[in-house]
Amino acid sequence: MLTHAKPVAAVTGALALAVSLTACGGSSAASDEKVVTVYSADGLKGEKGDGWYDKVFADFEKETGIKVKYVEGGSGEMVQRALREKSNTQADVIVTLPPFIQQAGSKGLLQKYTPKGADQVDGADKAADGSWTSVVNNYFGFIHNKKELPEAPGTWEALLDAKFENRLQYSTPGVAGDGTAVLIKAMHDFGGQAPAMEYLKKLQANNVGPSSSTSKLAPKVDKGELLVANGDVQMNFAQARSMPNLAIWFPAKEGGKPTTFALPYAAGLVDKAPHTENGRKLLDFMLSEGAQREVSAVGGGFPARKDIKATDANAIELARIIDGVEIFEPDWADIDANLSSYVDAWKSATGS
């Protein structure tokens, strides 16, 4: 039964807006600009301008006069982009899923800032050193086409059936947050790296191939090009407004219970950000009571603040979706330290 959400998920193809910023991060000219640049995993921006980001960014600009410039991609992709730009910082705020937010911190991409309202965020959903905090909570999951496949497959083993050949796809581990989540869940459900890789090697016979963005898979499932894909609850719930054939499910190991784990959208202030003060203001705004109350109603996610008790229709449906699913907590420190070796093991097992 859902108690609260912890650590995650990415809508539409990568949207990279040309951002013209002063080359030297933190200059007085740059800091005076009424702009803030956000690098984010996809999932919170609506395909029709109706997502949580769309509402929050518009409200933020109206209240502060600060325009949000937005760059979107896979979780790992956004961290790698910020890392490449470290000597000429372009982003002010980065929003990404675990374990990539931890990776951003360990690579020195984040500066410490505790947004207003962060005291209401559960301790597991924010960095102990104040370098990041969750702004929207979320859970990893899968989707199926409920028109062509009315009943969810139910188990990992069911996905090995020949009927899923070239009609199953999951996003790329190490690149996409939800793709990395496939590895994390498989290692948990199968009881370790070796049995998980043995399973994923078998699953590769049905897998269409790599995808850098998880959000691109949902339209394929909705159209019936795919029967099954990975995703996350917030993103897929929001997408289902315009994709009526999507249904969310959680694989179980044969004989076991369906499981999931928290994958929050976690935000941090970028080190040497060109518009540091504007970045702080945006983080404060995203954690404000008003913005948090719209997480479920507008964004289809779970509020990061535990003092916000959502009671809207979406919140009720989201609680129903997650009800009865066993929620485990990954060892994020281990995953941060060993992610490369886990991804390498996956590449070796699948020939990717």
Side-chain angles (χ1 to χ4, degrees), residues 15-16 94 102 127 130-132 135 143-144 146 149 151 156 162 170-171 173 175 194 200 225 254 258 305 309 314:
L15 170 64
I94 189 164
Q102 289 92 339
S131 59
W132 57 266
V135 291
I143 48 175
H144 67 100
K146 63 183 180 183
L149 193 68
E151 293 293 322
W156 287 105
Y170 61 90
S171 51
V175 176
L200 291 170
E225 294 173 28
E254 206 164 67
R305 288 178 55 155
K309 308 299 182 187
N314 283 355

Side-chain angles (χ1 to χ4, degrees), residues 84-319:
R84 289 195 302 270
E85 297 169 350
K86 203 171 179 182
S87 62
N88 180 23
T89 309
Q90 302 292 298
D92 301 301
V93 170
I94 189 164
V95 184
T96 188
L97 309 183
F100 297 101
I101 194 66
Q102 289 92 339
Q103 186 181 85
S106 64
K107 292 183 180 297
L109 292 176
L110 305 177
Q111 58 174 298
K112 295 177 184 178
Y113 178 64
T114 303
K116 295 172 185 175
D119 60 315
Q120 293 294 334
V121 175
D122 188 82
D125 298 338
K126 58 189 177 186
D129 66 356
S131 59
W132 57 266
T133 186
S134 300
V135 291
V136 171
N137 280 329
N138 192 18
Y139 292 93
F140 176 62
F142 275 65
I143 48 175
H144 67 100
N145 181 301
K146 63 183 180 183
K147 184 178 180 182
E148 293 195 36
L149 193 68
E151 293 293 322
T155 67
W156 287 105
E157 289 82 359
L159 296 177
L160 300 176
D161 192 285
K163 71 181 178 184
F164 293 107
E165 184 176 358
N166 291 323
R167 300 194 73 186
L168 174 153
Q169 190 173 17
Y170 61 90
S171 51
T172 307
V175 176
D178 289 325
T180 306
V182 172
L183 287 189
I184 295 170
K185 179 170 157 60
M187 288 193 291
H188 171 271
D189 289 0
F190 286 95
Q193 178 180 319
M197 298 309 160
E198 183 181 341
Y199 168 79
L200 291 170
K201 180 179 182 178
K202 295 176 185 175
L203 186 65
Q204 195 65 11
N206 289 341
N207 187 20
V208 170
S211 174
S212 62
S213 174
T214 313
S215 67
K216 294 180 179 179
L217 303 181
K220 296 179 182 179
V221 173
D222 183 59
K223 293 172 186 173
E225 294 173 28
L226 298 173
L227 290 176
V228 169
N230 69 317
D232 62 75
V233 174
Q234 177 279 324
M235 177 178 67
N236 297 141
F237 187 84
Q239 288 173 315
R241 288 194 294 242
S242 58
M243 301 179 195
N245 296 319
L246 296 187
I248 298 168
W249 67 289
F250 306 90
K253 187 177 184 298
E254 206 164 67
K257 287 184 174 182
T259 67
T260 189
F261 62 97
L263 267 184
Y265 291 89
L269 187 64
V270 178
D271 187 46
K272 298 182 178 64
H275 315 96
T276 293
E277 188 56 37
N278 294 348
R280 291 191 183 111
K281 289 177 180 178
L282 180 59
L283 289 170
D284 289 348
F285 195 85
M286 288 196 287
L287 267 185
S288 67
E289 286 191 34
Q292 286 291 301
R293 290 191 186 283
E294 293 175 329
V295 167
S296 57
V298 177
F302 304 83
R305 288 178 55 155
K306 56 191 176 186
D307 61 332
I308 303 297
K309 308 299 182 187
T311 57
D312 58 90
N314 283 355
I316 293 167
E317 179 63 14
L318 286 163

